[in-house]
């Protein structure tokens, strides 16, 4: 393939007009654990599988869903360490905004700035793109919002989306189940069902993680007992 | 000065260097957007430069966020910009007045390094500020309608400015 001659350097276009490193980064994302997000009429839910490499791992120490500000949360598919770096940078940007304007950063602005960081790493020398796609969920004056940010730095607003392994099945499932006027609790059930579709093994409250944001604008990660209640409602 | 769902912002028109009057039509009250005005007293060049910087920041904000800045947000921005120059400040005392959500009036003032002071009734700055404090305090009433507010602000401005040799040569009153 002619493209492979151009895959060594990030900052060189291939003759077909692609940046091959970004394609590889997207492949890294595509082999990561499934994550998804759904925007309901009165909130947003994001969820992910939390498959740990062994039963000896302490699952409470692994946090795949993080809050960026009190009203914005994020989940990822791909490389965990890259995610941690992005979370750190985004949190700093959100706080810088607050320091300047004494107002919480709107979701679109934070998404734009995070995407700009990811784009910087596709146009500098000696660095590689981030191997994560992010799903950023937030609630501000413009209502509930869900954005996906890719390693290239492009971002899209979604009503419902999935990333990682099994993404096409998950998206088809979501397309069938999504309705415009869904309530948040329905969205949580749908999210659990979608995860269940592609899950190898038995789903339980310890191997998935769910984050929600309601009209009270407080992002919270559900505890295993809360997840258990929702799981029981689904079955 | 705050009125009922409105505010007034006023200034004199003199630009002088100690005893010499350079201009009698100097603009000190500037528009940021339809519902937000800033008055800058102090050094003339700093007032103009600071205004240009603030308009620049506000225009960028409008383009990025697709909305006008709220007065409280703008006041925080001015405060941050002034404090950046903590050890070589702009010699300006701003007076910020605007209508926030639901047209609720907002006013505040700052010193030249950004110490914000919010008020519910009136704020003053400039060489005649002490005299203005007295005049406003005695003439102010809460919930004035725009016409009455105009009268009150004009009288307060004229009487204080007449008592100060460095202020005067006309007045400019804006009601929003």
């Amino acid at each position: 393939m002619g493209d492979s001659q151009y895959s060594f350097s990030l900052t060189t276009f291939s003759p077909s007009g692609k940046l091959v490193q970004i394609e590889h980064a997207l492949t890294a994302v595509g082999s990561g654990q499934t994550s998804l997000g759904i925007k309901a009429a009165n909130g947003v839910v994001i969820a992910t599988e939390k498959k740990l490499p062994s039963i000896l791992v302490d699952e409470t120490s692994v946090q795949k869903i993080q809050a960026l500000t009190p009203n914005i949360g994020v989940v990822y598919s791909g490389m965990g360490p890259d995610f941690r770096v992005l979370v750190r940078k985004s949190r700093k940007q959100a706080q810088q905004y607050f320091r300047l304007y004494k107002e919480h950063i709107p979701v679109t602005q934070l998404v734009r700035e995070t995407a700009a960081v990811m784009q910087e790493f596709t146009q500098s020398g000696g660095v590689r793109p981030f191997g994560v796609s992010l799903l950023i969920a937030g609630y501000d004056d413009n209502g509930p919002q869900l954005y996906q940010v890719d390693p290239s730095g492009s971002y899209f607003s979604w009503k419902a989306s999935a990333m990682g392994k099994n993404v096409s099945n998950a998206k088809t499932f979501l397309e069938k189940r999504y309705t415009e006027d869904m309530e948040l609790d329905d969205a949580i059930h749908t999210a659990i069902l979608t995860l269940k579709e592609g899950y190898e093994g038995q789903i339980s409250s310890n191997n998935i993680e769910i984050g929600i944001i309601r009209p009270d604008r407080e992002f919270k990660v559900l505890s295993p007992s809360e997840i258990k209640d929702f799981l029981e409602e689904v079955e | 000065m705050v009125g009922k769902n409105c505010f007034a912002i006023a200034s004199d028109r003199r630009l002088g260097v100690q005893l010499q009057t350079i201009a009698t039509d100097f603009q000190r009250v500037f528009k940021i957007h339809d519902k937000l005005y800033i008055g800058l007293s102090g050094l003339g060049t700093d007032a103009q430069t600071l205004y240009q910087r603030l308009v620049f920041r506000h225009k960028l904000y409008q383009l990025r966020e697709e909305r006008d800045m709220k007065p409280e947000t703008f006041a925080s921005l001015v405060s941050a910009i002034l404090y950046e120059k903590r050890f070589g400040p702009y010699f300006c005392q701003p007076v910020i007045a605007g209508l926030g959500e639901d047209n609720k009036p907002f006013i505040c003032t700052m010193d030249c390094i950004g110490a914000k002071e919010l008020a519910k009734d009136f704020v003053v700055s400039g060489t005649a500020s002490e005299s203005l404090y007295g005049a406003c305090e005695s003439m102010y009433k809460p919930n004035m309608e725009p016409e009455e507010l105009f009268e009150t602000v004009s009288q307060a401005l004229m009487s204080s400015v007449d008592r100060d040799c460095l202020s005067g040569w006309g007045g400019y009153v804006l009601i929003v």
Side-chain angles (χ1 to χ4, degrees):
Chain A
M1 189 169 67
D3 271 358
S4 63
Q5 288 180 312
Y6 293 87
S7 67
F8 59 86
S9 161
L10 166 68
T11 51
T12 313
F13 276 106
S14 72
S16 58
K18 292 191 283 189
L19 285 165
V20 191
Q21 278 296 305
I22 294 183
E23 306 287 320
H24 294 334
L26 285 166
T27 315
V29 168
S31 55
Q33 290 181 2
T34 313
S35 64
L36 56 94
I38 303 177
K39 182 169 73 172
N42 60 340
V44 195
V45 57
I46 48 180
T48 181
E49 299 176 349
K50 193 163 75 166
K51 276 219 199 84
L52 297 164
S54 131
I55 54 165
L56 293 174
V57 175
D58 179 0
E59 67 264 356
T60 54
S61 71
V62 177
Q63 283 175 320
K64 291 186 68 177
I65 300 186
Q66 300 265 7
L68 295 177
T69 70
N71 64 329
I72 303 176
V74 63
V75 73
Y76 75 100
S77 278
M79 297 168 68
D82 286 5
F83 173 68
R84 282 203 306 272
V85 166
L86 278 171
V87 163
R88 215 181 142 86
K89 285 194 202 253
S90 299
R91 282 176 177 164
K92 191 172 178 188
Q93 276 161 343
Q95 286 308 116
Q96 278 172 343
Y97 184 99
F98 185 78
R99 191 175 162 270
L100 195 55
Y101 296 114
K102 298 285 185 294
E103 210 182 62
H104 289 298
I105 189 168
V107 182
T108 33
Q109 300 303 311
L110 187 57
V111 166
R112 175 183 295 152
E113 293 195 17
T114 308
V117 167
M118 290 172 87
Q119 194 278 345
E120 267 170 36
F121 281 73
T122 67
Q123 213 175 11
S124 312
V127 296
R128 63 162 177 82
F130 287 98
V132 285
S133 273
L134 304 174
L135 269 176
I136 298 182
Y139 202 121
D140 63 7
D141 289 336
N142 294 332
Q145 291 164 77
L146 179 67
Y147 284 90
Q148 177 178 340
V149 191
D150 278 342
S152 58
S154 41
Y155 59 91
F156 321 92
S157 177
W158 290 94
K159 299 177 197 167
S161 179
M163 327 183 288
K165 277 195 282 243
N166 206 37
V167 60
S168 43
N169 284 345
K171 277 199 176 164
T172 321
F173 191 87
L174 284 170
E175 271 171 33
K176 284 203 211 107
R177 289 273 182 142
Y178 182 79
T179 59
E180 291 279 332
D181 51 1
M182 219 180 212
E183 292 277 315
L184 187 57
D185 287 331
D186 293 332
I188 299 177
H189 292 144
T190 309
I192 294 178
L193 284 169
T194 316
L195 277 179
K196 221 171 157 197
E197 277 285 297
Y199 203 89
E200 293 152 17
Q202 178 70 336
I203 206 172
S204 85
S205 56
N206 285 329
N207 50 25
I208 59 172
E209 226 176 281
I210 300 182
I212 58 169
I213 184 156
R214 294 188 187 278
D216 63 1
R217 302 196 189 183
E218 285 212 13
F219 180 79
K220 56 179 253 171
V221 181
L222 297 181
S223 65
S225 51
E226 286 166 326
I227 299 180
K228 198 147 170 274
D229 294 334
F230 280 107
L231 270 174
E232 280 166 9
E233 283 172 32
V234 161
E235 306 205 348
Chain B
M1 197 180 279
V2 164
K4 191 167 178 196
N5 292 334
C6 62
F7 66 84
I9 185 164
S11 74
D12 71 331
R13 303 305 301 266
R14 179 180 183 267
L15 174 68
V17 176
Q18 289 169 336
L19 54 88
Q20 190 187 16
T21 305
I22 310 280
T24 57
D25 58 358
F26 189 66
Q27 189 190 3
R28 225 170 252 120
V29 172
F30 302 101
K31 177 169 132 165
I32 302 291
H33 64 74
D34 284 341
K35 291 188 183 173
L36 182 57
Y37 284 78
I38 182 166
L40 292 160
S41 59
L43 192 61
T45 173
D46 282 356
Q48 287 177 333
T49 306
L50 193 57
Y51 164 66
Q52 285 162 4
R53 279 192 69 185
L54 291 169
V55 156
F56 170 79
R57 295 300 298 260
H58 181 253
K59 280 189 180 160
L60 274 183
Y61 183 96
Q62 259 180 332
L63 285 169
R64 273 202 215 110
E65 307 218 6
E66 293 174 344
R67 59 179 174 130
D68 285 333
M69 237 192 239
K70 287 193 253 186
E72 297 85 355
T73 315
F74 183 70
S76 299
L77 175 66
V78 177
S79 175
I81 286 183
L82 288 173
Y83 196 80
E84 266 170 35
K85 301 266 186 233
R86 170 69 175 78
F87 299 108
Y90 288 110
F91 294 109
C92 281
Q93 296 88 45
V95 156
I96 296 168
L99 292 176
E101 317 224 330
D102 303 323
N103 285 339
K104 189 160 175 290
F106 169 88
I107 53 171
C108 84
T109 185
M110 279 168 228
D111 66 4
C112 60
I113 45 178
K116 242 190 304 185
E117 244 185 69
L118 307 172
K120 292 201 177 73
D121 37 20
F122 57 85
V123 285
V124 300
S125 77
T127 50
S129 56
E130 279 146 3
S131 181
L132 276 167
Y133 272 124
C136 290
E137 190 72 59
S138 47
M139 296 190 203
Y140 176 78
K141 277 195 328 259
N143 282 332
M144 283 185 278
E145 294 290 333
E147 292 78 17
E148 210 196 333
L149 183 65
F150 174 75
E151 283 299 321
T152 312
V153 165
S154 311
Q155 291 296 341
L157 182 71
M158 286 199 298
S159 59
S160 316
V161 143
D162 282 345
R163 267 289 177 185
D164 177 22
C165 58
L166 297 176
S167 312
W169 284 104
Y172 172 87
V173 180
L174 185 77
I175 309 278
V176 177

